[in-house]
Amino acid sequence: MSNAQPFDRIIALDFETAWSKSEYTLSKLTTEEYVRDRRFKAWGLCWKDVDLDEPAWAPGRTVEYQSVWVRSDRIKRWAVSIDWSRTAVLAHNAQFDITILSWVYGVKPAFIFDTLSMARALRGVEVGNSLATLADAFGLPPKGKAVHSTDGMLDSIPFHVEQELADYCRHDTWLCEQIFKRLLPGYPTKELKLIDMTLKMYTNPLLELDIPMLEQAIEEEREQRESLLKKLGLVETTLASNPQFAEALRALGIDPPTKKSKTTGEETLALAKNDALFQALLNHENEDVALLCEARLKVKSTSERTRAQRFLDIAHRGPLPVPLSYYGAATGRWTAAKGSAINMQNLKRGSFLRKAIMAPEGYVIAVGDLSQIEPRVLAWLADYDSLLDIFRAGGDPYAQFGAQMFSIPGMTKDSHPVERQSAKSALLGAGYQLGWASFAAQLLTGFLGAPPKRYSKEEAKQLGVTGADVQKFLSWDENIKKMEEIPHTCTDLELAIHCLAAKAIIDKYRAASVPVVAFWELMGQLIEHSLYKGKEYTHKCLTFRKGEIVLPSGMSVRYPDLRPEQDDKGRVQWTYADGKDGKRTKLYAGKVTNNVVQGTARCVMTDGMLRIGKRYPVCGTVHDEALCVAPESEADEAKEYLLACMTVEPKYMPGIPLAADGGVHKRYGLAKG
């Protein structure tokens, strides 16, 4: 940490709490449910001062715990004896321990360190970062096991069990400190601050939930669902069951759509909401068929109403903690915390769930969203100057590319929204070396959240596709094979036209975006040159080394055990170890491009969040969006401050044109209009 660190002291601690395997345990409850439950009880905690000047333990040395056990009835007295305004707390899976400190004992530490978050960033998300796993990885004495289980002891525990639990807890606290000393050297200060910020979004929740709105929305959804079922004369089990729903379709004269299973290779029913064939039935000319499919979605789509009920349950217990996993993805992006049961990264825009999230009394929520950050970062990394100039001029790159694609001069978002969306899909997908078959398939189900799209013969002509192109395309067996893998409800000829249109868009992008194509070539070369052979190479703000790419933040995107393999045609393919159980993932130029762009964009985003946090508490982040809470009297000022913080030109990316839009409102869902 820097000299301006907000604490003078670091305390490592670990709580031991009551639990019951059959009903009251973190394997069945979220942290929020567990800590706010009336059965919650802390048997005690161990704590010790962390001395960073003391050398880390080495094999052969005696283990000296030096930690103090504080039993249940003395925790409050211990808590008030410490000046938390200048004290940092260290724990493993700190979300749990600091939630207890904050919600049960009213403690708000000055700073939070978490070895689980640090290990996730340095070792990867999928490899396992439990205290026991890390102890083994660092050659430390193994995590202990208490002889006497406290399972089911919810009111009291015998003295001898408490003593054993205290010894077990002392060892865990010591392990956490030793792991911290091994993870801390070289760990970027900015990233430590982001861990602290992320954990405080949960442990010090600022957002509230509108109980009447949630109750009304749940009731309205139930009424709509029951009304549909009554109109159809069916019950939920019929719609939820694939075989029974298939029979209901047959009763209406419709052959149930099928697809080839990716796992078994056998024909299976294509009745999922993202199956192109099922989506076609949603828009069927027979209203009874469309109504039946709509009713199935209402029954099967339980996630929204389940989440609404969870929000309502949380609202009755207290403020809304925001559960995020720092470095949940390999590029450093946040993901929904596992086991949180409320993924706040995918709340639909305009949904009642977003509108039900509110600032506390006297405050507003300010929201800022980096505009087109990934295309901007890619253009900057690839020296795509003409695209950067469009951004600098405040132009619309999607409309301009769409005008070129479809030969429609002066295209705007308002004049040609469908064509502009196609151009946006191309810029966001083709920039990562997306192939025509993947692009065509994703368009049919809705690319990046857009409505499903199938290109017509007329649109294909606009893109320059001719009859000769169709014949030539269909003469290639490999094209036919790729087409056969795309679920569709149209004729084979209509699918071919759609695929040729998708291919034309990809080809136009590549022809117009020569700098990006050159960047792919560079990334492909660096897979072998640097990531595999270990020859260090620097490209702008990125450093390529053996098995890793170092981002501007100082953190890395890692490709462990990268090695070449030959496919069935003798072509070299690169794969790397991705988690446990021997899983391997393919690596290619487009994926590296995607990783460095997302990783760098994340650096831009987090720099902005840290600046915002100096004045207003950041209470959430969703992809390229940041949320903070500000006094109502400073609403307009807070919005301008937030947007200014997000668009400061990074020193490591000179010349990149940044932009952001946003708004402010009492309700999250209305902050951006």
Side-chain angles (χ1 to χ4, degrees):
M1 297 289 290
S2 67
N3 293 329
Q5 61 191 27
F7 53 85
D8 306 312
R9 179 186 189 187
I10 304 175
I11 286 178
L13 63 78
D14 182 44
F15 273 96
E16 298 297 337
T17 59
W19 63 286
S20 171
K21 186 177 181 180
S22 62
E23 54 180 328
Y24 179 56
T25 172
L26 285 169
S27 64
K28 296 183 178 180
L29 301 173
T30 67
T31 296
E32 183 272 335
E33 291 172 317
Y34 180 86
V35 176
R36 284 176 169 164
D37 193 284
R38 59 177 177 76
R39 293 167 291 187
F40 176 83
K41 187 177 183 65
W43 298 131
L45 66 85
C46 268
W47 72 276
K48 74 178 297 294
D49 279 298
V50 175
D51 184 357
L52 294 178
D53 294 326
E54 181 185 356
W57 178 87
R61 287 179 53 193
T62 302
V63 174
E64 298 180 3
Y65 292 124
Q66 300 176 344
S67 53
V68 179
W69 170 256
V70 182
R71 59 183 307 173
S72 178
D73 58 355
R74 297 175 184 172
I75 295 177
K76 287 184 179 179
R77 189 187 313 166
W78 167 80
V80 298
S81 71
I82 295 172
D83 178 8
W84 296 103
S85 69
R86 295 297 302 173
T87 301
V89 174
L90 163 68
H92 189 77
N93 188 17
Q95 183 190 89
F96 177 71
D97 297 280
I98 310 306
T99 292
I100 297 171
L101 264 185
S102 178
W103 299 0
V104 179
Y105 300 102
V107 169
K108 303 283 192 289
F111 200 86
I112 304 171
F113 291 102
D114 178 30
T115 45
L116 175 61
S117 294
M118 295 171 73
R120 185 186 293 127
L122 294 178
R123 290 165 39 85
V125 182
E126 303 297 336
V127 298
N129 292 293
S130 67
L131 200 66
T133 300
L134 292 174
D136 181 64
F138 288 117
L140 296 167
K143 177 178 167 61
K145 293 183 179 180
V147 175
H148 294 93
S149 172
T150 57
D151 179 13
M153 298 179 184
L154 299 179
D155 297 317
S156 62
I157 53 175
F159 178 74
H160 72 281
V161 174
E162 180 186 331
Q163 291 300 105
E164 183 185 322
L165 199 62
D167 290 340
Y168 168 79
C169 191
R170 287 189 185 95
H171 186 61
D172 276 4
T173 307
W174 179 83
L175 283 176
C176 178
E177 179 190 25
Q178 293 301 318
I179 290 166
F180 180 62
K181 288 184 175 183
R182 287 156 175 78
L183 296 175
L184 184 63
Y187 206 96
T189 297
K190 283 185 178 180
E191 294 295 322
L192 292 171
K193 291 179 178 178
L194 289 170
I195 293 174
D196 171 71
M197 177 183 286
T198 303
L199 291 169
K200 285 177 179 174
M201 292 178 196
Y202 193 93
T203 62
N204 187 25
L206 300 175
L207 301 175
E208 297 180 350
L209 291 162
D210 187 331
I211 292 177
M213 176 181 280
L214 290 168
E215 289 176 337
Q216 181 181 348
I218 291 170
E219 179 61 20
E220 287 178 355
E221 193 279 336
R222 183 190 64 78
E223 290 176 353
Q224 290 173 6
R225 191 170 70 254
E226 290 181 355
S227 175
L228 274 174
L229 290 168
K230 185 177 180 180
K231 187 180 293 187
L232 291 165
L234 298 172
V235 294
E236 285 197 14
T237 52
T238 300
L239 296 176
S241 163
N242 279 358
Q244 291 183 45
F245 182 73
E247 284 303 314
L249 284 173
R250 291 189 185 98
L252 292 174
I254 300 296
D255 289 331
T258 60
K259 62 183 177 182
K260 187 175 290 186
S261 170
K262 292 183 178 179
T263 53
T264 66
E266 298 177 357
E267 286 294 312
T268 184
L269 290 168
L271 299 175
K273 66 178 181 180
N274 58 346
D275 283 327
L277 305 182
F278 178 75
Q279 288 191 358
L281 293 178
L282 278 168
N283 299 302
H284 201 276
E285 58 186 14
N286 184 328
E287 290 185 5
D288 290 339
V289 174
L291 193 64
L292 181 67
C293 293
E294 182 186 346
R296 175 176 166 86
L297 279 186
K298 285 285 185 186
V299 170
K300 292 286 286 184
S301 300
T302 59
S303 60
E304 204 71 355
R305 65 175 179 267
T306 300
R307 185 156 45 178
Q309 186 61 53
R310 287 191 175 276
F311 270 32
L312 182 58
D313 293 342
I314 291 170
H316 285 299
R317 291 189 290 263
L320 172 67
V322 177
L324 294 176
S325 285
Y326 161 85
Y327 240 91
T331 56
R333 286 179 174 248
W334 282 269
T335 59
K338 291 182 178 179
S340 63
I342 52 164
N343 184 354
M344 294 185 64
Q345 297 285 285
N346 66 351
L347 297 177
K348 293 180 181 177
R349 292 192 182 279
S351 68
F352 73 89
L353 288 177
R354 282 196 179 214
K355 292 173 185 174
I357 298 172
M358 304 188 301
E361 187 67 31
Y363 290 82
V364 291
I365 300 173
V367 179
D369 193 355
L370 282 170
S371 304
Q372 305 134 339
I373 183 60
E374 288 191 23
R376 292 170 191 263
V377 170
L378 177 56
W380 185 85
L381 288 172
D383 289 320
Y384 195 172
D385 293 330
S386 59
L387 183 55
L388 289 172
D389 288 340
I390 294 174
F391 286 125
R392 291 188 182 105
D396 183 343
Y398 305 140
Q400 292 199 31
F401 184 51
Q404 179 182 343
M405 279 170 48
F406 291 99
S407 301
I408 304 176
M411 179 189 290
T412 67
K413 183 177 182 179
D414 295 327
S415 67
H416 294 81
V418 176
E419 289 80 0
R420 180 187 177 275
Q421 179 60 45
S422 294
K424 179 179 180 179
S425 299
L427 278 173
L428 295 177
Y432 299 137
Q433 218 175 12
L434 188 68
W436 66 262
S438 295
F439 187 44
Q442 290 182 52
L443 285 167
L444 290 176
T445 57
F447 190 83
L448 296 177
K453 171 67 180 175
R454 177 172 64 80
Y455 287 106
S456 65
K457 186 176 181 180
E458 290 71 25
E459 289 170 321
K461 282 183 178 179
Q462 274 187 298
L463 290 163
V465 178
T466 66
D469 292 329
V470 176
Q471 291 180 356
K472 183 179 179 181
F473 181 80
L474 293 176
S475 67
W476 284 56
D477 291 341
E478 189 170 340
N479 290 344
I480 300 296
K481 183 179 179 181
K482 288 181 179 179
M483 280 177 51
E484 288 176 347
E485 295 174 353
I486 300 175
H488 60 283
T489 55
C490 55
T491 66
D492 289 345
L493 179 58
E494 288 172 331
L495 179 61
I497 291 171
H498 170 72
C499 289
L500 270 164
K503 184 177 184 300
I505 291 172
I506 296 291
D507 291 344
K508 285 177 180 290
Y509 174 84
R510 294 183 179 185
S513 308
V514 174
V516 174
V517 175
F519 188 71
W520 295 341
E521 292 173 356
L522 174 62
M523 295 301 100
Q525 293 167 6
L526 290 176
I527 291 176
E528 179 174 1
H529 176 84
S530 298
L531 300 179
Y532 178 61
K533 293 184 177 178
K535 297 176 182 177
E536 188 167 308
Y537 181 87
T538 298
H539 177 80
K540 296 194 170 185
C541 58
L542 305 169
T543 301
F544 295 75
R545 297 174 181 161
K546 187 172 181 61
E548 67 174 347
I549 303 169
V550 184
L551 300 168
S553 61
M555 306 303 286
S556 295
V557 180
R558 289 178 166 77
Y559 308 103
D561 191 30
L562 180 68
R563 60 176 184 246
E565 299 175 353
Q566 284 193 337
D567 64 11
D568 54 2
K569 294 183 179 179
R571 296 173 298 192
V572 173
Q573 290 189 333
W574 297 92
T575 67
Y576 63 95
D578 188 13
K580 298 177 285 188
D581 305 323
K583 179 184 174 185
R584 298 193 66 79
T585 297
K586 290 182 181 179
L587 187 65
Y588 51 94
K591 185 179 177 90
V592 175
T593 301
N594 177 280
N595 287 172
V596 297
V597 169
Q598 283 198 0
T600 306
R602 184 261 190 191
C603 294
V604 176
M605 178 70 184
T606 54
D607 284 353
M609 290 171 62
L610 290 172
R611 282 188 287 267
I612 295 165
K614 292 178 180 179
R615 181 168 175 181
Y616 299 113
V618 177
C619 58
T621 177
V622 181
H623 307 308
D624 304 319
E625 182 180 81
L627 292 71
C628 69
V629 169
E632 219 164 15
S633 60
E634 300 178 24
D636 293 337
E637 188 179 346
K639 172 189 169 183
E640 296 306 315
Y641 177 78
L642 180 145
L643 296 179
C645 286
M646 296 180 75
T647 53
V648 173
E649 180 184 294
K651 291 181 180 179
Y652 48 84
M653 300 184 78
I656 186 170
L658 298 178
D661 62 3
V664 62
H665 199 277
K666 184 73 176 177
R667 297 180 183 274
Y668 170 42
L670 298 177
K672 289 178 62 180

